[in-house]
C-alpha cells in the first residue's frame, strides 16, 4: 500500500535499481564524477613530482647537507645571501685558482726559482773580467760553467728569519784557468758581498758536464769499447751521447799516477756510469775524461 504523498516514480532514463536521491543524482553519474576527480588529482600529483624533479636537478645539493646552496640561491640582499647583496658568490663546482709560487722565501725556505735566477744574474752582472776571459765546459768564452746556487748561512751560524737577510752562494767552474769561483749575493740589497777563486777544488759534476764528458768520450779512440758494447746490446751504432743515460763522478789521480791521469785533481776529470736508454748498463769505470784538456784515456 502506498503512503499518501510517497513518490514511487523512477528518474527518466535511470536503470533498474538505481533510484535517485534528492540532490545526489544517479550512482552512474556519481561514479563518473569520482573517476574524473581521481584523474585530475593524479595529473596534479604527476605535475608536482615533475616540478620537484626539475628543482632537484636545477639546484645542486650540498654534499655535506648544510645550507650552503640555499644561501647561494637566496635573492641578492637577503639575510641568506653570502655575497652581502652583491650576488657574486662562487658558482657551484668552481675550482679556486692555484696561488703562483712565491718569488721570495723566508728563513730556511729553499731558494725559489726567482731567487736562483736573481742570484745568478747578480753574481756575474758586474764581473766584466769573468765575462771576457772565463770559459764554460765546452770551451766557450763569455762566462764560467754554472754549477749550483745554495742558501747561505748567516755569519752567526743560522739562517735569516725574513726575506730581508737571505743570502745565496753561487758556484761556477772556470775552465779557462781551472778555478772554482764562489760568489756570495745579498738577495735583499742586490750586492755581491764576497768573491773567491780556488784551485784544486773539484765539487760534484753537473748533468751538463756529465753529458759533455760522454760526448768527448765518444769522439775519442778511448771510447771504442763503449761503442762496441752498445752495438752488441742494441744492434745499432752509437753516434750521440743522447743515446745514453749518463752519470758522472769526479776522479782524482792516486798517488804516483803518471801521464794524463796525473793532472786530475788540478784538472776537472770524471769517470762515467753509462747505460743504454731503457736498456743495460755498460761498464766504463776504467775510462776517464779530462774536461779541462777535453781528452779521454784508460786508467787500467
Amino acid at each position: 500500500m502506498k503512503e499518501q504523498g510517497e513518490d514511487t516514480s523512477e528518474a527518466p532514463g535511470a536503470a533498474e535499481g538505481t533510484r535517485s536521491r534528492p540532490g545526489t543524482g544517479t550512482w552512474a553519474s556519481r561514479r563518473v564524477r569520482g573517476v574524473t576527480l581521481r584523474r585530475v588529482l593524479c595529473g596534479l600529483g604527476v605535475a608536482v613530482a615533475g616540478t620537484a624533479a626539475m628543482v632537484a636537478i636545477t639546484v645542486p645539493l650540498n654534499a655535506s647537507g648544510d645550507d650552503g646552496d640555499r644561501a647561494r640561491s637566496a635573492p641578492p640582499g637577503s639575510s641568506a645571501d653570502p655575497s652581502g647583496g652583491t650576488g657574486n658568490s662562487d658558482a657551484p663546482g668552481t675550482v679556486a685558482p692555484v696561488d703562483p709560487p712565491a718569488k721570495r722565501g723566508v728563513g730556511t725556505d729553499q731558494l725559489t726559482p726567482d731567487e736562483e735566477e736573481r742570484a745568478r744574474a747578480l753574481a756575474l752582472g758586474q764581473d766584466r773580467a769573468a765575462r771576457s776571459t772565463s770559459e764554460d765546459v765546452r770551451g766557450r768564452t763569455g762566462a764560467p760553467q754554472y754549477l749550483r746556487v745554495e742558501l747561505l748561512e748567516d755569519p752567526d751560524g743560522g739562517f735569516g728569519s725574513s726575506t730581508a737577510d737571505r743570502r745565496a752562494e753561487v758556484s761556477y767552474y772556470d775552465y779557462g784557468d781551472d778555478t772554482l769561483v764562489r760568489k756570495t749575493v745579498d738577495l735583499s740589497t742586490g750586492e755581491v758581498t764576497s768573491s773567491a777563486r780556488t784551485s784544486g777544488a773539484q765539487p760534484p759534476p753537473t748533468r751538463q758536464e756529465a753529458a759533455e764528458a760522454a760526448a768527448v768520450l765518444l769522439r775519442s779512440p778511448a771510447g771504442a769499447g763503449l761503442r762496441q758494447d752498445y752495438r752488441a746490446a742494441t744492434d745499432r751504432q752509437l753516434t750521440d751521447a743522447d743515446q745514453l743515460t749518463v752519470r758522472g763522478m769526479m776522479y782524482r789521480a792516486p798517488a804516483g799516477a803518471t801521464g794524463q791521469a796525473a793532472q786530475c785533481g788540478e784538472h776537472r776529470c770524471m769517470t762515467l756510469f753509462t747505460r743504454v736508454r731503457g736498456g743495460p748498463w755498460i761498464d766504463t769505470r776504467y775510462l776517464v775524461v779530462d774536461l779541462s784538456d777535453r781528452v779521454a784515456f784508460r786508467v787500467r
Side-chain angles (χ1 to χ4, degrees), residues 80-92:
D81 179 15
S83 64
T86 62
N88 291 328
S89 58
D90 291 338

Side-chain angles (χ1 to χ4, degrees), residues 128-247:
R128 295 181 180 178
R131 294 200 302 271
S132 60
T133 62
S134 297
E135 294 181 9
D136 65 7
V137 67
R138 295 184 177 180
R140 297 174 300 188
T141 303
Q145 179 64 38
Y146 169 72
L147 300 181
R148 59 188 51 85
V149 57
E150 300 173 308
L151 183 66
L152 193 64
E153 291 187 9
D154 291 330
D156 59 3
F159 289 90
S161 58
S162 68
T163 59
D165 49 11
R166 283 165 66 84
R167 299 183 306 153
E169 183 180 76
V170 191
S171 298
Y172 298 89
Y173 193 84
D174 188 349
Y175 281 89
D177 58 5
D178 281 302
T179 56
L180 177 65
V181 183
R182 289 192 178 101
K183 292 179 178 288
T184 301
V185 177
D186 188 324
L187 293 173
S188 60
T189 63
E191 298 179 355
V192 177
T193 58
S194 67
S195 179
R197 284 180 173 263
T198 307
S199 298
Q202 299 295 343
T206 63
R207 291 183 179 180
Q208 184 177 358
E209 288 178 304
E212 185 61 22
V216 171
L217 179 58
L218 289 182
R219 293 192 295 266
S220 168
L226 172 61
R227 293 189 292 270
Q228 292 172 2
D229 290 345
Y230 185 92
R231 183 175 181 83
T234 66
D235 199 28
R236 299 193 305 271
Q237 294 284 352
L238 177 58
T239 59
D240 194 287
D242 288 340
Q243 296 171 252
L244 300 169
T245 298
V246 182
R247 296 179 183 177

Side-chain angles (χ1 to χ4, degrees), residues 26-40:
T26 65
W27 177 84
S29 63
R30 290 198 304 274
R31 182 181 180 187
V32 170
R33 287 198 297 270
V35 171
T36 303
L37 179 60
R38 284 196 298 272
R39 289 178 178 174
V40 170

Side-chain angles (χ1 to χ4, degrees), residues 8-20:
T8 60
S9 63
E10 295 181 350
E16 182 179 359
T18 57
R19 297 182 180 273
S20 61

Side-chain angles (χ1 to χ4, degrees), residues 40-131:
V40 170
L41 293 177
C42 182
L44 289 175
V46 172
V48 171
T51 303
M54 292 175 62
V55 172
I57 295 173
T58 304
V59 181
L61 298 179
N62 190 301
S64 60
D66 59 22
D67 294 333
D69 290 298
R70 287 201 296 273
R72 290 192 189 97
S73 60
S78 67
S79 60
D81 179 15
S83 64
T86 62
N88 291 328
S89 58
D90 291 338
T94 300
V95 178
V98 178
D99 293 335
K103 292 185 177 182
R104 301 182 66 182
V106 178
T108 59
D109 292 346
Q110 291 185 350
L111 292 171
T112 66
D114 285 338
E115 286 178 318
E116 291 182 3
E117 184 178 353
R118 174 174 167 78
R120 292 179 61 178
L122 292 171
L124 294 180
Q126 301 175 0
D127 193 341
R128 295 181 180 178
R131 294 200 302 271

Side-chain angles (χ1 to χ4, degrees), residues 173 178 202 251-253 257-269 290 292-293 297:
Y173 193 84
D178 281 302
Q202 299 295 343
Y251 175 82
R252 283 186 173 273
T258 60
Q260 187 70 40
Q263 302 293 321
C264 295
E266 290 298 323
H267 288 185
R268 193 153 173 80
C269 301
D290 185 336
S292 299
D293 282 347
F297 53 92

